[in-house]
Amino acid sequence: MIQGHPTSGAEAERDCPVPLATLGEIYRAEKEDLPELLATLPVQTRAKLAGYLYAKSHTHALGLAVARTCDKDDLVKALGEIGAVVHGQAHLPPPKPATASR
């Protein structure tokens, strides 16, 4: 027997802290527009969203971008000890491009 997935309507996963429409806006936002969009979310919602996105391989970088808009204490409060790790990774300098060895 083949089981299908429910298609009654698009919903964000249960642990997603924002509605699906908001998640879509954030996912599609241009890099320069993201801070303004995130500023409309309450601090704890933003911190939870950072953790939600960080935990998924396809939205990991977006999770770090969201985390950059949060204080370390807010991330720790929302995510526990992993919040400190997320904060640290979000504030690492960008990697330098690889140079060709001679």
Side-chain angles (χ1 to χ4, degrees):
M1 181 170 150
I2 298 174
Q3 281 188 308
H5 295 286
T7 58
S8 59
E11 291 184 23
E13 290 181 31
R14 189 174 306 195
D15 57 344
C16 183
V18 296
L20 183 62
T22 303
L23 183 62
E25 286 179 41
I26 292 167
Y27 188 74
R28 291 186 304 272
E30 296 292 330
K31 185 178 180 179
E32 58 273 359
D33 296 331
L34 191 58
E36 184 178 329
L37 180 58
L38 292 172
T40 65
L41 298 176
V43 173
Q44 281 300 297
T45 302
R46 206 173 338 131
K48 290 176 185 175
L49 179 62
Y52 174 80
L53 295 168
Y54 175 86
K56 300 182 179 311
S57 62
H58 63 287
T59 58
H60 184 84
L62 182 57
L64 292 174
V66 174
R68 278 188 214 92
T69 70
C70 302
D71 291 332
K72 180 179 179 181
D73 291 340
D74 293 325
L75 288 165
V76 170
K77 184 176 179 181
L79 308 174
E81 290 182 32
I82 191 72
V85 173
V86 173
H87 181 268
Q89 287 186 8
H91 290 89
L92 286 174
K96 295 181 181 182
T99 56
S101 55
R102 293 180 183 199

